[in-house]
């Protein structure tokens, strides 16, 4: 399974400059009906500087969607907990 969010932010007002973001791109393999394991990748590109992050992701699936936890490293460290819903 794979999912991603890719965006180019263009400000209308304020001091935040435009940037490109891929956050997250998760690719997982189903170990069973309930458990997935895989890799989570993301990056920000702003002012010509890259902020890549990569690490493992674990998902627990249920009839409503999935809980997830990932730990990504790169220019920083990030522990992320998530919940997705299927409609």
């Amino acid at each position: 399974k794979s999912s991603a969010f890719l965006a180019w932010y263009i400000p209308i007002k304020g001091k935040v400059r435009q940037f490109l973001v891929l956050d997250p791109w998760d690719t997982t393999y189903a170990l069973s009906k309930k458990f997935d394991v895989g890799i989570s990748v993301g990056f920000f590109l702003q002012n010509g500087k890259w902020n890549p992050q990569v690490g493992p992701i674990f998902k627990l699936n249920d009839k409503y969607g999935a809980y997830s936890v990932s730990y990504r490293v790169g220019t920083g460290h990030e522990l992320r907990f998530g919940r997705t819903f299927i409609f």
Side-chain angles (χ1 to χ4, degrees):
K1 302 174 197 175
S2 189
S3 65
F5 176 78
L6 178 66
W8 183 262
Y9 175 77
I10 301 171
I12 296 172
K13 283 173 78 173
K15 296 181 180 183
V16 176
R17 301 184 69 150
Q18 63 181 341
F19 62 89
L20 176 66
V21 60
L22 172 68
D23 188 40
W25 178 8
D26 296 337
T27 301
T28 60
Y29 174 77
L31 295 175
S32 68
K33 215 173 184 183
K34 282 204 157 285
F35 297 102
D36 292 3
V37 64
I39 189 165
S40 181
V41 177
F43 71 80
F44 294 88
L45 174 61
Q46 186 175 32
N47 300 329
K49 295 180 183 175
W50 288 94
N51 177 14
Q53 295 182 323
V54 64
I57 184 168
F58 303 93
K59 289 186 176 184
L60 172 63
N61 303 302
D62 61 22
K63 65 181 181 178
Y64 302 110
Y67 293 94
S68 64
V69 61
S70 64
Y71 182 71
R72 301 188 310 180
V73 297
T75 54
H77 297 265
E78 175 185 89
L79 177 62
R80 181 180 286 195
F81 298 94
R83 175 69 174 150
T84 56
F85 294 95
I86 298 172
F87 293 97

